[in-house]
Amino acid sequence: MGFFSKEEKSKIILRAFKTLFFLITMLVSLLLFSAPVLLAIADTLLPSALLSASLSPSSLSLSTLSSHFNDYDFRYSLVDIPLISIIRSAVIICVYGLCDGPRRSRGPYLGITTICSVLSLIFVSLKASYVFSVADIDRGVYVRAMEMALFICSLALAVGHIVVAYRTSCRERKKLLVYKIDIEAVSACKNGFPRYHLKIPKEERAN
């Protein structure tokens, strides 16, 4: 009494495995569906956090930002990289929100995302060639590592925007294709097939 048999234990384990698999599948589908929004949030927060870490022992604040903008130099300043990421994410997420299914499948969303990401890739790559060409011993190994992580993160997120936009456009294109097939099937059923009337013999009509 109080103990499960082997068959009941196997059923419980199988049911738990199915439930866990269903929850993981739902979580993955939710992440894939909200990938553009999550990537835009990551693109806004991660470069700013890495810039703040590279500025240690000082932290990222309004005063330090104003001083960095006042002393801005393309070859040395890094404050423009998080700014580029924020602008890129804002433009992409606005286009994503304004576009519906057909526009996400092809046209504005994928095109604007690709243009913004490619332009930011060119800018960050060109800036990296200037920044890392100068050997600055005073910065230290930790600050140098944070700067490299900042550039790599910005480049990776730019590529990620293109990949996510392409996958989103493919998903929306598949939805439109399925919807088009359904509409054509319904219209074919309505217009393509003649209606057959059941003929009743005269003898049965008289009765």
Side-chain angles (χ1 to χ4, degrees):
M1 298 295 293
F3 293 96
F4 295 104
S5 63
K6 291 183 178 180
E7 293 182 357
E8 291 177 347
K9 286 182 179 179
S10 61
K11 288 181 180 179
I12 292 172
I13 293 172
L14 183 61
R15 192 180 299 115
F17 179 76
K18 288 181 178 179
T19 305
L20 183 62
F21 179 76
F22 175 76
L23 291 175
I24 292 173
T25 305
M26 291 294 292
L27 180 61
V28 170
S29 62
L30 178 63
L31 291 175
L32 290 176
F33 181 76
S34 58
V37 180
L38 294 176
L39 188 62
I41 294 172
D43 198 10
T44 304
L45 298 178
L46 284 179
S48 301
L50 290 173
L51 178 64
S52 179
S54 66
L55 294 176
S56 62
S58 61
S59 59
L60 191 63
S61 61
L62 292 176
S63 59
T64 55
L65 280 176
S66 62
S67 64
H68 278 288
F69 280 119
N70 291 329
D71 302 331
Y72 177 76
D73 189 350
F74 178 79
R75 297 170 296 177
Y76 307 107
S77 300
L78 300 178
V79 70
D80 51 355
I81 297 179
L83 186 61
I84 288 293
S85 298
I86 292 171
I87 294 172
R88 176 178 63 197
S89 300
V91 172
I92 291 173
I93 204 66
C94 286
V95 174
Y96 178 79
L98 292 174
C99 292
D100 52 359
R103 292 182 181 178
R104 289 179 189 173
S105 62
R106 59 176 63 87
Y109 173 59
L110 182 59
I112 293 175
T113 302
T114 304
I115 291 171
C116 292
S117 300
V118 169
L119 289 177
S120 61
L121 279 171
I122 295 171
F123 180 86
V124 174
S125 301
L126 186 63
K127 188 176 182 65
S129 64
Y130 278 101
V131 171
F132 293 109
S133 62
V134 180
D136 194 353
I137 303 174
D138 297 334
R139 292 185 180 180
V141 179
Y142 174 77
V143 176
R144 207 68 172 174
M146 288 296 103
E147 290 176 355
M148 290 182 65
L150 176 61
F151 280 100
I152 293 171
C153 178
S154 182
L155 294 172
L157 289 170
V159 176
H161 278 297
I162 298 174
V163 173
V164 169
Y166 177 74
R167 291 182 64 87
T168 303
S169 65
C170 291
R171 186 178 68 244
E172 295 295 333
R173 201 176 298 124
K174 288 179 182 178
K175 288 182 181 178
L176 290 175
L177 181 62
V178 172
Y179 180 75
K180 183 179 179 181
I181 291 173
D182 291 340
I183 293 297
E184 289 178 352
V186 171
S187 62
C189 290
K190 287 182 178 179
N191 302 323
F193 297 100
R195 294 181 179 179
Y196 294 96
H197 299 281
L198 182 62
K199 293 183 179 180
I200 301 175
K202 294 180 179 180
E203 295 80 3
E204 294 183 3
R205 289 182 187 176
N207 295 329

